[in-house]
Structures are given as structure tokens and as C-alpha cells.
């Protein structure tokens, strides 16, 4: 039986049986809608289907999938936002702040190679006043080599620069017959430590120093000193490097003696200068931070990329009485912490093409004729070993690049250290730690498995509901909710326990990636470096088979 769309009367047979009309070609028993008739007694059984309204009805989709999609999308957005901010980029949800750093305009000054004159150098000295570039008298300088149980340091009398640091306990990744060279000057690399005076012309890292005689190797002693002197116009600058046994720290002192006829007001600067070249042996499969970092008691730890410095996006120089500066790279770091009382300035700047500096300026105050003054600080040049970092300066262990999950990563590494003290092997430590994490999350995992098993059992019922209400999303969702309530199933119960575990295992990954303790640490058999890929690809194959 079919209804005539024009009059609302009932016809016997098929619409295709009506001759001489187009009705038969366009209508059929299955496609002809039942329309409302105002004259037929059975009109109560007829209805006009509603036009589909996308704003009122959602597409048929399981609630679980919808919620998971929302969670996944928000997670991606937040991960991207944090990754962008972590690497020095602008936030997606905040307007970009204009740079207020005047030191970005250093190149506009007449000569950045010498300190800029000012009415009161001690009060107005900034990072822009620090001489740029290496010592001009390098060819005249003598290279002094100091050897301790941990370091081999090279200081050039031209500028009394720290031009080379070799770490005797750490082998090079590319060539294990050589030691890691952290600082180096010459060839394709520039990474040095420079210091001098602002406010006294000629006494900076471009000056030629004379070295006092003394021992050059630690041998059986606990410490040794290297003393260098330079004098200009009656003002004498003495640099004292103090090395100690079992320490990556180097104490650096600057003594100024005023033998001139007038008072002087110098400031001491110390800066770490590095190029932007990639580290030798960097992996193509992951990226770690390389660049300067500044810590102040007020603003805490902040990393700066070389790209941001190129664009003038580095923050203004910070004035603090508790802080330090560092040049960070994967596994290793160099840093300087002033030890003088009173405020000092911490700055970053670009001093040449692909050459950057991070440093500190300490005011010495007025020095009368015949008087002297001293400024002291500590350099750190070594591996990012947590135990040593924590002793150097407040929050210095933040130079370990744990990413934005540091809050979770630090307790994980602490637990790893405790396990390693018991087992004595970092490889077995990682295995035991993984087992402990899985045990800790076992209740959540078990709940997830139970929920997934229940969902599997009711899948036929869910399919039937979808088929029964496929034209009515509201009824379908209501029926689904009723089914979940009746069967006591949480549609997210199989996913939320997994989501909770994800940050922990990401943090574990960053701990293993950033910890220098894993570097060249053996496990068993052919695995002699936990930080390097399996040379025979045995473990990746085992993992693939087990999955």
C-alpha cells in the first residue's frame, strides 16, 4: 500500500503500477514517505519525517570515543604549548611581549671590542660594556696546562682565558680513545671562559698577563693555584685560579691593586663564550637543549636558545644577590657563581656571528690610591652528575634537561640512585625500577583490564543498540547510558588508568636520556654503554618479538 503525496488517499498496489505518470519512476514502496492527511481516519498513524538538523543531533558516535578524542586533542595542544614555551617560543594563549633588552643593540655602538666609557663605570657597567671577541694577543700568549685528578685545564696568558677543559674521567662518544673536551678554542669550535675589568682601560681578556712560577700538576697535593698578573697605568689585576682534588669546581679570584694617583671604580666581569655549533655525535632521533641559562632567586631558572638571542628576545639583564649563569649542553655544563656579597648583574648577549656569551658583572666599589680589593667566584666545568650539581649552587641540578616533567622526573632519578647503590649496576637498576613502577600502577592496570573485559562482553548489546537507534542519536545515547548503568561499566574505565601512567613513563624516558650516569655505564655482555644504541640490535628485536 502507498500514499498519494498530493491528495493523501490510499492506493492499492505499487506506485510503479500507475501508468502515464512520473510517480512510478521516482517513488517506490520503500522510499515513499508517509504523509499527514487531514481527511483520512487513520491519519494518526501517519507522520512527516523531520528535516535533519545538525545543530540538534550529533552524528552517531560512541561517547567513549568522543571523550577520548577530546582528551587526546587537549593533550596534544598542551604538549605543544609546553614544548614551545620550554624551547623559548611564544605562548599560543598570550600575546608576544616586545623585547626590552638594550644589549641586543650592542652592534650599533662604535666599538664593541672595548669597554664603553661612562660617567660612573661602576654604577652603569652592563653586559654591553664587556669587551667582545678573543684576546688580540693570542699569538703572543703562553699556554699553561694544569692537570688534576679530574681535569686538564689550559689557560692562555693572553687574556688569562680558560681556553680548554678536558674531562679525564669521561670518554668521547665518537672516539673512546680520547677524553671529552668541554671547552676548546681554535679550529671550528669556540668555547672559552673570559674575565677582566670594566672601568679600567686595558685590563680585560685582551690584555697580556705574566704567569708566576709554581706547580702545574696536582700530584699528591690537595690543591694548587695558578696566578697571573697584568698592569696598566698603575692599576694591577691579579687572576688566581684554584684547583682542588676531586672537584670540577675552579675558584676564580680577581685582585685589583691601585698604585695610581686617583681612585678607581672598577667592575669585574666573567663570561662564558660559546658558538652555536652542534655537538659532535648528536643523535638524529632526539634533541636536547644546548645554550645559555640564567638563575636568579626571584625569577628562578631560565634557559635561552641561541635563536632567541639572535632575534633580541632574551630578557633584560637581571640584578640579584643570589644567582648563577651557565652554558648547558647534553650531559655536560659550565657555570659561574659569584661569591661576593651584594647585588650583581647577570646578562646574555650576542658578540659576533654565531658567537654568544652569558656572564656576570660584579661591582668592586671605589678603590683609593694604594688600596686593593678582591672579587671571588666559582667556575664549574664538568658532567651533570646530580650529586655534584646540588653542591655547587641552589637549584643548579635544573641544568639537567628533564623537559617539562621535572617535577616527576626528579623523584624517579632519586629512586634510581637508591636502587643503584644496592645493585651497583645501572642496567639492572633500570629493570628493577620499571618493575616497581608497573607494580605501583598494577591496581590501575587491573581496573583497566576488568573494564575492557566487561566492555568486550557487552559489545553485542552495544551493536544492537546502535542498529536499533541508528536514526535517532538521542535515543541511542540514552540507551547506551542505561546499558552502562545496568552493567555497571565505566566507558572510560579502560583508558583513564593508562592516561595516568603516560606522564610517568615519559618522565622516565627523559631521566634516562638526560642522566650522564648512564653514559658508558655497562650492563651485561655486549651492552657496555647504556646511553648508546644496541650495536647488534638484539634488544630491539627481542622487544619487537615480545610485543
Amino acid at each position: 500500500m502507498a500514499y498519494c503525496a498530493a491528495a493523501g488517499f490510499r492506493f492499492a498496489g505499487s506506485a510503479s503500477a500507475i501508468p502515464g505518470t512520473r510517480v512510478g519512476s521516482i517513488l517506490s514502496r520503500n522510499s515513499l514517505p508517509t504523509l499527514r492527511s487531514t481527511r483520512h481516519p487513520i491519519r494518526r498513524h501517519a507522520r512527516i519525517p523531520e528535516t535533519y538538523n545538525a545543530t540538534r543531533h550529533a552524528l552517531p558516535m560512541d561517547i567513549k570515543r568522543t571523550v577520548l578524542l577530546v582528551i587526546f586533542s587537549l593533550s596534544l595542544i598542551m604538549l605543544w604549548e609546553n614544548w614551545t614555551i620550554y624551547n623559548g617560543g611564544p605562548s599560543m594563549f598570550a600575546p608576544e611581549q616586545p623585547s626590552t633588552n638594550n644589549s641586543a643593540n650592542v652592534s650599533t655602538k662604535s666599538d664593541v671590542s672595548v669597554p664603553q666609557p661612562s660617567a660612573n663605570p661602576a654604577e652603569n657597567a652592563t653586559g654591553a660594556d664587556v669587551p667582545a671577541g678573543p684576546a688580540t694577543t693570542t699569538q703572543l700568549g703562553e699556554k699553561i696546562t694544569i692537570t688534576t685528578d679530574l681535569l686538564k685545564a689550559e689557560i692562555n696568558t693572553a687574556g688569562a682565558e680558560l681556553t680548554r677543559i678536558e674531562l679525564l674521567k669521561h670518554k668521547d662518544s665518537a672516539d673512546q680513545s680520547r677524553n671529552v673536551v668541554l671547552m676548546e678554542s681554535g679550529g671550528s669550535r669556540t668555547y672559552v671562559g673570559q674575565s677582566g675589568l670594566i672601568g679600567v682601560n686595558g685590563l680585560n681578556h685582551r690584555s697580556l698577563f705574566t704567569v708566576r712560577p709554581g706547580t702545574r700538576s696536582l700530584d699528591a697535593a690537595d690543591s694548587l693555584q695558578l696566578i697571573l698578573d697584568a698592569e696598566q697605568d698603575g692599576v694591577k689585576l691579579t687572576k688566581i685560579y684554584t684547583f682542588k682534588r676531586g672537584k670540577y669546581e675552579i675558584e676564580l679570584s680577581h685582585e685589583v691593586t691601585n698604585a695610581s694617583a686617583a681612585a678607581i671604580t672598577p667592575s669585574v666581569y666573567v663570561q662564558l663564550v660559546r658558538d652555536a655549533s652542534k655537538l659532535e655525535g648528536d643523535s638524529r632521533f632526539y634533541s636536547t637543549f644546548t645554550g645559555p641559562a640564567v638563575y636568579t632567586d626571584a625569577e628562578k631558572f631560565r634557559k635561552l636558545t641561541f635563536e632567541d638571542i639572535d632575534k633580541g628576545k632574551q630578557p633584560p639583564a637581571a640584578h640579584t644577590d643570589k644567582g648563577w649563569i651557565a652554558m648547558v649542553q647534553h650531559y655536560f655544563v659550565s657555570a659561574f657563581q659569584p661569591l661576593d656579597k651584594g647585588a650583581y648583574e647577570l646578562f646574555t648577549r650576542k658578540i659576533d656571528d654565531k658567537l654568544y656569551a652569558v656572564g656576570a658583572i660584579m661591582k668592586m666599589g671605589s678603590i683609593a690610591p694604594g688600596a686593593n680589593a678582591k672579587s671571588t667566584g666559582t667556575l664549574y666545568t664538568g658532567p651533570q652528575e646530580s650529586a655534584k650539581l646540588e653542591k655547587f649552587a641552589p637549584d643548579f641540578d635544573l641544568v639537567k634537561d628533564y623537559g617539562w616533567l621535572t617535577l616527576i622526573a626528579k623523584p624517579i632519578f632519586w629512586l634510581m640512585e637508591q636502587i643503584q647503590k644496592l645493585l651497583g649496576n645501572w642496567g639492572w637498576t633500570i629493570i628493577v625500577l620499571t618493575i616497581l613502577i608497573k607494580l605501583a600502577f598494577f591496581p590501575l592496570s587491573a581496573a583497566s583490564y576488568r573494564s575492557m573485559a566487561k566492555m568486550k562482553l557487552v559489545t553485542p548489546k552495544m551493536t544492537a543498540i546502535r542498529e536499533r537507534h541508528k536514526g535517532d542519536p538521542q535515543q541511542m545515547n540514552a540507551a547506551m547510558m542505561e546499558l552502562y548503568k545496568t552493567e555497571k561499566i565505566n566507558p572510560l574505565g579502560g583508558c583513564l588508568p593508562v592516561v595516568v601512567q603516560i606522564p610517568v613513563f615519559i618522565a622516565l624516558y627523559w631521566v634516562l636520556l638526560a642522566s650522564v650516569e648512564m653514559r658508558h655505564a655497562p650492563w651485561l655482555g655486549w651492552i657496555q654503554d647504556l646511553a648508546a644504541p644496541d650495536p647488534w640490535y638484539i634488544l630491539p628485536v627481542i622487544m619487537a618479538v615480545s610485543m
Side-chain angles (χ1 to χ4, degrees):
M1 307 295 290
Y3 280 92
C4 176
F9 292 103
R10 206 169 193 177
F11 286 89
S14 172
S16 60
I18 304 175
T21 67
R22 298 181 60 190
V23 177
S25 62
I26 60 174
L27 300 178
S28 67
R29 178 181 297 272
N30 294 328
S31 63
L32 185 64
T34 303
L35 302 179
R36 189 182 304 273
S37 172
T38 59
R39 293 177 292 176
H40 201 280
I42 62 170
R43 63 183 180 273
R44 63 182 179 275
H45 300 292
R47 64 184 180 89
I48 300 176
E50 295 183 10
T51 302
Y52 183 80
N53 189 339
T55 63
R56 295 181 56 191
H57 300 289
L59 291 175
M61 181 182 293
D62 185 38
I63 293 178
K64 176 181 176 181
R65 293 181 181 177
T66 305
V67 175
L68 285 178
L69 180 61
V70 171
I71 293 174
F72 182 71
S73 301
L74 290 176
S75 299
L76 282 180
I77 293 172
M78 296 308 298
L79 282 171
W80 179 259
E81 166 77 358
N82 282 278
W83 184 87
T84 302
I85 296 174
Y86 175 74
N87 286 277
S91 171
M92 293 187 296
F93 308 110
E96 185 174 338
Q97 297 296 324
S99 174
T100 58
N101 191 357
N102 295 327
S103 65
N105 299 320
V106 171
S107 60
T108 63
K109 297 190 177 183
S110 58
D111 186 1
V112 297
S113 298
V114 295
Q116 300 299 314
S118 60
N120 191 342
E123 294 300 324
N124 301 323
T126 66
D129 297 320
V130 179
T136 56
T137 54
T138 302
Q139 67 275 15
L140 303 176
E142 176 188 357
K143 295 179 180 179
I144 310 298
T145 301
I146 302 295
T147 305
T148 73
D149 57 328
L150 298 178
L151 302 171
K152 182 179 283 188
E154 189 177 277
I155 293 97
N156 199 317
T157 57
E161 288 185 346
L162 187 59
T163 55
R164 193 173 190 272
I165 290 289
E166 180 180 341
L167 306 179
L168 303 180
K169 300 297 184 181
H170 292 268
K171 298 298 181 182
D172 188 88
S173 296
D175 183 2
Q176 295 199 22
S177 64
R178 300 183 303 165
N179 295 320
V180 169
V181 177
L182 180 58
M183 288 187 175
E184 190 174 13
S185 179
S188 60
R189 284 195 66 198
T190 300
Y191 189 176
V192 297
Q194 301 173 340
S195 64
L197 297 182
I198 300 173
V200 179
N201 290 337
L203 290 178
N204 49 56
H205 66 270
R206 291 173 171 266
S207 305
L208 185 62
F209 285 71
T210 58
V211 60
R212 298 184 191 179
T215 59
R216 302 291 182 254
S217 180
L218 195 61
D219 295 330
D222 290 329
S223 65
L224 68 84
Q225 287 186 334
L226 178 67
I227 305 175
L228 305 102
D229 301 295
E231 189 169 350
Q232 180 77 28
D233 299 332
V235 179
K236 181 179 179 182
L237 171 62
T238 300
K239 288 189 185 182
I240 305 173
Y241 290 91
T242 303
F243 300 83
K244 297 180 180 180
R245 179 177 298 279
K247 300 286 187 180
Y248 286 105
E249 294 94 333
I250 304 170
E251 185 179 288
L252 176 58
S253 298
H254 295 78
E255 293 184 358
V256 178
T257 302
N258 184 12
S260 68
I264 57 174
T265 54
S267 295
V268 175
Y269 70 87
V270 177
Q271 64 180 5
L272 302 171
V273 179
R274 190 190 192 283
D275 57 38
S277 60
K278 295 291 184 180
L279 297 176
E280 197 173 327
D282 263 4
S283 174
R284 295 173 297 173
F285 302 104
Y286 58 81
S287 177
T288 56
F289 176 79
T290 300
V294 176
Y295 176 91
T296 63
D297 192 45
E299 298 181 2
K300 303 304 179 183
F301 181 69
R302 179 162 185 174
K303 296 186 294 186
L304 303 165
T305 63
F306 296 132
E307 292 78 9
D308 282 345
I309 298 176
D310 280 332
K311 298 174 183 177
K313 291 184 178 180
Q314 72 267 35
H319 296 268
T320 181
D321 58 356
K322 291 182 181 179
W324 44 264
I325 52 98
M327 194 67 78
V328 184
Q329 66 185 58
H330 194 204
Y331 292 137
F332 303 100
V333 62
S334 60
F336 177 76
Q337 179 188 26
L339 299 180
D340 299 336
K341 293 182 179 180
Y344 41 85
E345 177 186 310
L346 306 180
F347 66 90
T348 55
R349 64 173 183 147
K350 181 178 181 179
I351 59 177
D352 204 349
D353 184 39
K354 300 298 182 182
L355 197 61
Y356 308 88
V358 58
I361 297 176
M362 292 74 67
K363 299 174 183 178
M364 301 190 77
S366 180
I367 304 175
N372 58 63
K374 184 177 181 179
S375 177
T376 304
T378 305
L379 285 165
Y380 181 93
T381 55
Q384 296 176 12
E385 296 178 9
S386 294
K388 292 180 172 59
L389 299 180
E390 291 170 357
K391 294 178 181 178
F392 176 71
D395 291 330
F396 189 50
D397 58 331
L398 291 175
V399 298
K400 294 187 76 168
D401 191 8
Y402 287 151
W404 55 277
L405 289 172
T406 299
L407 190 65
I408 302 174
K410 290 181 72 172
I412 289 178
F413 182 77
W414 177 86
L415 182 58
M416 285 184 64
E417 283 188 310
Q418 307 311 310
I419 298 172
Q420 197 273 340
K421 290 177 183 178
L422 296 175
L423 302 181
N425 183 290
W426 283 105
W428 293 115
T429 296
I430 294 171
I431 293 174
V432 171
L433 176 67
T434 305
I435 294 173
L436 290 177
I437 292 175
K438 295 296 290 183
L439 289 175
F441 283 120
F442 178 77
L444 288 176
S445 298
S448 175
Y449 297 146
R450 286 193 298 268
S451 179
M452 287 189 290
K454 289 182 179 179
M455 291 292 289
K456 187 176 180 180
L457 290 175
V458 300
T459 297
K461 297 181 180 180
M462 295 170 63
T463 303
I465 291 174
R466 291 192 187 99
E467 289 296 325
R468 187 163 61 250
H469 301 288
K470 61 182 179 180
D472 192 341
Q474 289 184 339
Q475 287 294 327
M476 183 185 71
N477 290 335
M480 285 289 189
M481 291 295 101
E482 185 62 29
L483 177 63
Y484 294 150
K485 183 177 180 181
T486 303
E487 299 291 340
K488 297 181 179 180
I489 297 174
N490 183 352
L492 299 179
C495 302
L496 288 180
V498 177
V499 172
V500 171
Q501 299 178 48
I502 289 175
V504 176
F505 283 100
I506 292 177
L508 176 60
Y509 166 78
W510 279 103
V511 166
L512 299 179
L513 179 63
S515 297
V516 70
E517 290 82 356
M518 307 296 133
R519 193 173 183 271
H520 298 309
W523 179 33
L524 53 79
W526 72 101
I527 304 296
Q528 295 299 311
D529 184 358
L530 290 173
D534 184 345
W536 302 103
Y537 299 99
I538 296 175
L539 293 180
V541 170
I542 293 175
M543 184 181 71
V545 172
S546 64
M547 293 178 67

